[in-house]
Amino acid sequence: MHSEETALPSAEVREEYAQLVEDVRRFRAAYYDNDTSLISDAEFDELFVRLERLEAEHPELVTSDSPTQEVGGDVSTAFAPVKHPTRMYSLEDVFSLEELRAWIERATEQAAQAAPGVPLRWLSEAKIDGLAINLIYRDGVLVTAATRGDGTTGEDVTANVRTIKEIPQKLAGSGWPAELEVRGEVFIASKDFEAFNAKLREEGKAELANPRNAAAGSLRQKDPAKTAQRPLSMFAHGIGTRDGLAIESQYATYEQLAAWGLPVSPYSQLLNNIDEILAFIAEKGEHRHDLIHEIDGIVIKADDFAIQRALGYTSRVPRWAVAYKYPPEEVHTELLDIRVNVGRTGRVTPYGVMEPVKVAGSTVAMATLHNQDVVKAKNVLIGDIVILRKAGDVIPEIVGPVLPLREGREDQLRAFVMPENCPSCGTPLRAMKEGDIDLRCPNAEHCPAQLSQRVEHLASRGAFDIEALGAEAAIALTVGAGPDPATLPGGVPEPAGPGPLTTEADLFELVNPDSEVSLALEHVRVWREKKSKGVGTGKWEAVPYFWRKATAKDVKKNPELALGQLVPNANTGKLHTQVGLAMTRDLWRVLVALSIRHVGPTASRALATRFGSMDALEEAVKDPEAIAKLSEIDGVGTIIAESLVEWFTGEENAWHREIVAKWKAAWEANGHQMADERDESLAATLEGLTIVVTGTLPNFSRDEAKEAIIVRGGKASGSVSKKTSFVVAGEAAGSKLEKAEQLGVPVLDEDGFRRLLEGGAAAVAGDVDSVPDDAASPEAGEGE
């Protein structure tokens, strides 16, 4: 922890940290919530490690809901939330054998001190690239299945899990406890994935991207019948609660789970030391594509439960387990072209279009190149044979050209030239501030590409959660059909606008089927390649996107229809319904949906908790001292505060205010308020107090505890210092509890936390040896 004399992090460091947090959250949400990968695993790991380093160097930047403290993703509103009986954790990753050796040596030393005399053996197993699942059996019968979610609360996918044949509905044998919590990984076996894609090809349908995303998407189908059509499998890899189980090791647990009829991995082995572990890693790495499923590493766990209990957990990972990640795989392919994409903030990003090639279990045809300087640094030319590196995800990394293969092909190669104007709206591109490498389109309000990206974002799970408004629908709504494909380079159709939705301010007009926007859906066309027996012909046609031609079945149901008459398709009906449901969402989701730079779910929750309504927030940003006051809110800070004030009050941002005004008017017209229900009876019992919650509380999730503190006027911090008023410690509290004890900070259990919430510091004076003199002072906790 920095001393009070240590200089605060510079503006550059704070901005880099805010950008890292935003990027990690965005890429993690895509992976866990939307079952897609926007960057490679290796690139994400680099971002995450950089974030961890910044937090180690500047712990004052860390909040309790930093991505380094979080597990998994958000919980979709499309599924009922399920609170896990015991928390589900992530795993700590290491990326080299040297890091792994250091981790094993450290854990061995800690185990010897924490559990002297207990033999230390390591259970090593293949790391399945799938989706974590939690199964609850009561009296041997499966009653609930949930995704990991944020670690404390997951999505109820019980009906879908019941379609997976390997998962028993009733356990075999006997001796199971009254309640058994089984952790596992749902996946699609490699051979099943290939067979399923072959079937899709025969039917002329789009193939699944890769086994991991296919498994996650399959498990999140709303219709269990669709899930049943996917070749899902599962291996159990642990248990949560151990009440009623007389088992004392991980390996023995696997044997017992197998005896009860649960599938367990055949790729696990008990090992005694680092040399045996390294040999296991080498052997599995050499044969990784021969296994039943795709893997991206090896998991090493302390086998004995006594050692696991002794080593405990951090806020995010167990201290008794680690995942070694194999180095990314590499292949060669031809770089056919370099094109650019315009993102929702206007950033223009080059990406490589390659001859499709199979790597790490999936076929890849595109990879990001970040910006024009990266293209130059990598020294790649269009037409090059390039090295493609991939670690089991969808979008990999172009490492560079295979230079020896350029010889004799120079006349076939050409350099990439970054466009001077936005390819979507024609506006001249520029760096938005001095020193920026990225070029952006400044035409944020009217650029069709930026609008389509914003509309796709506002419909995402972390915002309004409008499933019927995905990327393709967002483009159709905002950009419309396009020119004759024959007039475009290579004959590839690209949309050109505008579509019926020229601003996201009119989003909620879709609620009314008779509005101009809704009526215009009939005329939206998109380009589709004509197919013959499921194979593309190279010919294109403009077809309705939101409407379809009536069939004989439609005419039979409704004689007033004519065969071939255009009628709304099923997805259009869902779109109207789901946009209506969006008007019931919490305020924090509205703030995420507005695409305010740097304002992600964490800051949005903090703002919604503090202000409670859009009206109150709009008034707050007008305050001459708004930036200073907003910066004091835990989870906000200066960078986000500046962004908020600029977004709401900037001279050029009148169109932002129009979005909010139109959304509020639409909500009110439909009987809703852009505000959260608040308990005004809550007293500010925690005003001036800084509270750190660590470990797992039985009756509070991390977000629930934080909001309980904030709504009562307190500050929920993620780090312990001399200015911390109280530490609330649950199960597996870890290093924060140790730090509190070292500094003499009062520590409360959950019962004490409840009394603190109700009556403030005075109500828990008897719970701790001493309460700091400044515990009831309004200045306590400021400046941490």
Side-chain angles (χ1 to χ4, degrees):
M1 177 64 70
H2 287 198
S3 67
E4 294 184 0
E5 291 75 29
T6 303
L8 294 174
S10 65
E12 290 77 11
V13 168
R14 289 188 287 111
E15 183 164 2
E16 181 187 8
Y17 178 79
Q19 187 64 53
L20 277 170
V21 168
E22 180 181 355
D23 287 344
V24 167
R25 285 204 181 101
R26 178 161 56 93
F27 296 139
R28 178 184 278 173
Y31 188 78
Y32 285 107
D33 300 338
N34 300 326
D35 309 323
T36 59
S37 300
L38 301 180
I39 61 172
S40 70
D41 281 351
E43 287 175 303
F44 179 84
D45 290 336
E46 288 176 5
L47 286 175
F48 198 87
V49 168
R50 175 60 182 155
L51 182 62
E52 288 181 316
R53 286 177 183 157
L54 271 185
E55 291 187 344
E57 295 166 2
H58 304 284
E60 58 270 43
L61 293 173
V62 187
T63 60
S64 59
D65 50 6
S66 161
T68 62
Q69 310 296 310
E70 296 174 345
V71 176
D74 288 326
V75 179
S76 170
T77 57
F79 298 90
V82 175
K83 189 169 183 179
H84 304 309
T86 56
R87 185 176 178 183
M88 298 179 73
Y89 288 83
S90 292
L91 285 171
E92 181 178 354
D93 293 331
V94 295
F95 304 96
S96 70
L97 297 179
E98 291 74 21
E99 284 182 277
L100 176 62
R101 188 183 293 274
W103 190 95
I104 294 289
E105 291 174 354
R106 184 171 63 252
T108 300
E109 181 178 338
Q110 291 172 346
Q113 295 175 355
V118 179
L120 177 59
R121 301 184 73 191
W122 298 102
L123 179 62
S124 299
E125 59 194 35
K127 185 177 184 293
I128 305 170
D129 197 11
L131 182 74
I133 198 76
N134 197 44
L135 309 175
I136 303 295
Y137 286 87
R138 292 200 180 99
D139 297 321
V141 177
L142 178 65
V143 294
T144 305
T147 62
R148 180 170 60 182
D150 65 4
T152 59
T153 303
E155 300 158 334
D156 189 341
V157 290
T158 308
N160 292 348
V161 164
R162 291 188 189 281
T163 69
I164 302 176
K165 296 178 181 177
E166 287 92 340
I167 298 178
Q169 303 298 306
K170 180 173 174 54
L171 298 178
S174 61
W176 0 272
E179 182 168 303
L180 177 67
E181 187 180 14
V182 178
R183 269 74 190 271
E185 200 84 4
V186 172
F187 63 93
I188 296 180
S190 299
K191 66 175 184 178
D192 292 336
F193 181 76
E194 289 296 331
F196 193 79
N197 264 348
K199 181 182 177 183
L200 291 177
R201 283 194 298 271
E202 292 174 1
E203 296 171 352
K205 297 178 180 178
E207 297 180 36
L208 302 178
N210 66 16
R212 188 271 166 196
N213 289 352
S218 299
L219 200 60
R220 286 186 168 124
Q221 291 287 333
K222 289 187 177 179
D223 183 358
K226 291 183 178 180
T227 302
Q229 297 171 4
R230 301 289 178 88
L232 295 177
S233 301
M234 193 274 290
F235 282 153
H237 56 58
I239 54 176
T241 54
R242 299 192 184 114
D243 294 344
L245 284 176
I247 300 174
E248 288 304 319
S249 75
Q250 194 84 21
Y251 193 75
T253 298
Y254 288 2
E255 292 179 323
Q256 181 62 75
L257 292 177
W260 285 332
L262 285 155
V264 296
S265 173
Y267 310 123
S268 61
Q269 191 172 336
L270 270 178
L271 304 173
N272 296 300
N273 52 54
I274 184 64
D275 291 333
E276 292 181 6
I277 292 172
L278 296 180
F280 182 86
I281 288 172
E283 190 268 334
K284 288 293 179 286
E286 183 179 352
H287 298 285
R288 60 187 295 187
H289 295 303
D290 300 328
L291 306 186
I292 293 172
H293 49 72
E294 288 293 327
I295 67 171
D296 58 2
I298 298 294
V299 178
I300 300 101
K301 306 173 181 176
D303 183 53
D304 196 283
F305 287 160
I307 292 177
Q308 292 186 12
R309 287 191 293 268
L311 294 182
Y313 300 78
T314 69
S315 62
R316 193 176 64 89
V317 300
R319 292 192 177 93
W320 44 266
V322 70
Y324 167 78
K325 302 289 285 288
Y326 285 116
E329 294 187 316
E330 294 181 351
V331 296
H332 292 178
T333 189
E334 183 178 358
L335 180 62
L336 302 175
D337 198 3
I338 297 178
R339 301 175 186 169
V340 296
N341 176 63
V342 184
R344 103 181 126 94
T345 62
R347 185 168 67 178
V348 179
T349 306
Y351 64 94
V353 179
M354 298 160 295
E355 183 68 34
V357 61
K358 187 168 183 179
V359 54
S362 61
T363 300
V364 174
M366 293 189 299
T368 182
L369 284 164
H370 301 291
N371 57 57
Q372 66 276 17
D373 285 6
V374 170
V375 177
K376 291 178 183 178
K378 289 181 181 289
N379 187 27
V380 290
L381 300 175
I382 297 169
D384 262 331
I385 302 300
V386 295
I387 301 167
L388 191 66
R389 177 184 295 159
K390 187 169 182 291
D393 53 9
V394 177
I395 302 179
E397 174 190 7
I398 295 174
V399 180
V402 184
L403 291 175
L405 296 181
R406 276 187 180 173
E407 296 179 13
R409 302 179 66 247
E410 288 83 358
D411 60 340
Q412 302 173 32
L413 309 178
R414 59 188 173 92
F416 166 70
V417 179
M418 190 73 175
E420 295 181 355
N421 298 322
C422 174
S424 180
C425 67
T427 302
L429 303 177
R430 61 181 173 87
M432 299 304 284
K433 62 181 180 181
E434 187 176 353
D436 269 3
I437 296 174
D438 294 326
L439 296 180
R440 296 178 187 267
C441 170
N443 183 24
E445 180 180 2
H446 300 294
C447 177
Q450 292 184 61
L451 174 60
S452 67
Q453 293 270 351
R454 293 198 302 270
V455 170
E456 179 188 354
H457 168 74
L458 66 82
S460 64
R461 287 184 178 175
F464 284 137
D465 199 12
I466 305 171
E467 185 182 9
L469 186 48
E472 191 178 46
I475 292 173
L477 265 178
T478 57
V479 183
D484 182 347
T487 67
L488 297 165
V492 179
E494 296 182 3
L501 195 66
T502 57
T503 168
E504 59 263 53
D506 294 333
L507 171 72
F508 293 103
E509 287 194 28
L510 288 167
V511 172
N512 178 9
D514 297 322
S515 69
E516 290 185 9
V517 174
S518 291
L519 292 173
L521 298 183
E522 178 182 354
H523 307 292
V524 174
R525 300 290 188 274
V526 295
W527 288 106
R528 291 278 189 262
E529 185 178 12
K530 293 183 178 180
K531 293 187 177 181
S532 176
K533 296 181 180 180
V535 179
T537 63
K539 298 179 180 180
W540 299 80
E541 62 179 340
V543 299
Y545 183 82
F546 293 101
W547 288 51
R548 62 175 177 82
K549 293 180 179 179
T551 64
K553 188 176 181 180
D554 295 320
V555 174
K556 186 176 181 180
K557 287 183 177 179
N558 183 2
E560 295 183 4
L561 292 176
L563 192 64
Q565 178 182 343
L566 289 180
V567 295
N569 60 35
N571 200 62
T572 303
K574 290 180 182 177
L575 182 61
H576 287 301
T577 301
Q578 291 173 2
V579 171
L581 287 174
M583 291 188 285
T584 65
R585 302 292 188 231
D586 294 336
L587 177 61
W588 73 267
R589 289 183 177 271
V590 180
L591 295 174
V592 172
L594 288 172
S595 286
I596 305 170
R597 195 174 182 194
H598 302 308
V599 181
T602 300
S604 295
R605 283 188 173 99
L607 291 164
T609 301
R610 175 58 61 91
F611 295 105
S613 71
M614 185 64 75
D615 289 339
L617 177 57
E618 287 179 298
E619 284 301 312
V621 297
K622 296 175 186 176
D623 189 318
E625 301 297 322
I627 293 176
K629 292 180 179 179
L630 289 168
S631 298
E632 295 175 354
I633 300 173
D634 187 43
V636 178
T638 304
I639 294 171
I640 294 174
E642 291 172 348
S643 183
L644 270 169
V645 172
E646 172 61 23
W647 195 93
F648 276 101
T649 66
E651 292 182 6
E652 299 180 356
N653 294 335
W655 64 281
H656 290 167
R657 298 186 284 277
E658 182 181 5
I659 294 170
V660 176
K662 283 196 170 184
W663 284 8
K664 283 198 297 186
W667 286 41
E668 290 168 3
N670 286 274
H672 303 290
Q673 293 293 320
M674 202 169 283
D676 292 337
E677 293 185 9
R678 309 191 73 173
D679 187 351
E680 300 297 340
S681 66
L682 289 176
T685 53
L686 306 185
E687 186 174 354
L689 301 185
T690 297
I691 300 164
V692 174
V693 179
T694 181
T696 303
L697 300 177
N699 298 297
F700 287 89
S701 69
R702 179 176 61 248
D703 286 342
E704 288 170 345
K706 179 178 178 179
E707 290 184 16
I709 293 167
I710 294 173
V711 297
R712 290 168 174 82
K715 177 181 179 182
S717 178
S719 57
V720 180
S721 74
K722 291 181 179 179
K723 295 198 173 192
T724 302
S725 308
F726 294 94
V727 168
V728 179
E731 182 182 352
S735 60
K736 291 177 185 176
L737 175 58
E738 296 173 5
K739 186 70 177 279
E741 292 170 344
Q742 292 172 6
L743 296 175
V745 175
V747 177
L748 303 172
D749 59 12
E750 183 174 320
D751 288 338
F753 181 45
R754 288 184 181 280
R755 289 195 294 277
L756 179 69
L757 295 175
E758 293 171 4
V764 295
D767 290 23
V768 293
D769 293 335
S770 62
V771 176
D773 293 337
D774 61 356
S777 167
E779 291 76 30
E782 293 300 316
E784 185 174 356

